[in-house]
């Protein structure tokens, strides 16, 4: 399985933060001594599972803690687990190369066919979604003339 998010290289990067609380899909991450990641950016959990756990920053709880939403199952996620900030939004592949393929919520391809190099990535939580550029006209209502 492949994922469009940055993967760890051969030399593991030190985590930027640590998990301090897990409540279902809601995960609190502390970034003591580091800059808080922006809202709507992706975090990657460095845990002992083969699949990548992606979190999306939902809010800043205090000057060193963020609250994030897990985009996969958090079963087995423990406190004090390292987390890396990607400084980029969650992105999924788009285009003809992904037609007819099974993708999960973060764009991980679940089918066995290789991903085309022509596949583009589209940020999921961007404010400039192509469909939001043309807004429907609002109906205007006039009040009846008073007598």
């Amino acid at each position: 399985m492949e994922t469009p998010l940055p993967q760890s290289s051969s030399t593991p990067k030190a985590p930027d933060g640590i998990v301090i609380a897990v409540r279902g899909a809601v995960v609190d991450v502390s970034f003591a001594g580091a800059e808080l990641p922006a809202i709507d950016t992706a975090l990657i959990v460095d845990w002992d599972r083969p699949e990548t756990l992606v979190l999306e920053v939902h809010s800043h709880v205090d000057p060193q803690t963020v609250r994030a939403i897990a985009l996969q199952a958090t079963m087995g996620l423990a406190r004090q687990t390292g987390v890396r900030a990607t400084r980029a939004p969650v992105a999924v592949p788009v285009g003809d190369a992904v037609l007819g393929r099974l993708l999960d919520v973060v764009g991980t391809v679940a089918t066995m066919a290789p991903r085309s190099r022509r596949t583009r990535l589209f940020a999921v939580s961007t404010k400039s979604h192509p469909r939001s550029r043309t807004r429907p006209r609002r109906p205007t209502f006039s009040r009846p003339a008073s007598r």
Side-chain angles (χ1 to χ4, degrees):
M1 290 169 67
E2 49 187 286
T3 182
L5 291 170
Q7 294 295 309
S8 57
S9 61
S10 58
T11 58
K13 183 183 169 195
D16 298 320
I18 58 168
V19 174
I20 57 171
V22 180
R23 291 176 303 282
V26 179
V27 180
D28 288 348
V29 180
S30 175
F31 289 89
E35 182 181 348
L36 283 181
I39 293 175
D40 293 334
T41 58
L43 306 174
I44 297 178
V45 177
D46 294 327
W47 62 344
D48 57 354
R49 305 277 173 109
E51 63 273 357
T52 303
L53 176 58
V54 179
L55 310 173
E56 184 177 42
V57 177
H58 177 267
S59 60
H60 295 155
V61 177
D62 59 41
Q64 65 182 13
T65 307
V66 298
R67 182 154 291 150
I69 304 298
L71 301 179
Q72 290 98 355
T74 58
M75 176 89 63
L77 180 60
R79 291 183 296 177
Q80 304 301 315
T81 302
V83 176
R84 290 181 290 122
T86 64
R87 310 278 187 233
V90 175
V92 296
V94 295
D96 292 337
V98 296
L99 290 177
R101 303 190 69 191
L102 181 63
L103 305 173
D104 70 2
V105 71
V106 294
T108 304
V109 179
T111 56
M112 294 302 174
R115 190 170 92 197
S116 170
R117 294 195 185 280
R118 295 186 310 159
T119 304
R120 298 178 305 140
L121 295 179
F122 181 78
V124 173
S125 60
T126 182
K127 303 294 187 255
S128 62
H129 191 277
R131 292 186 186 161
S132 65
R133 290 184 187 157
T134 58
R135 293 190 175 149
R137 294 185 57 145
R138 288 183 154 182
T140 56
F141 299 103
S142 59
R143 292 184 167 200
S146 21
R147 295 183 190 204

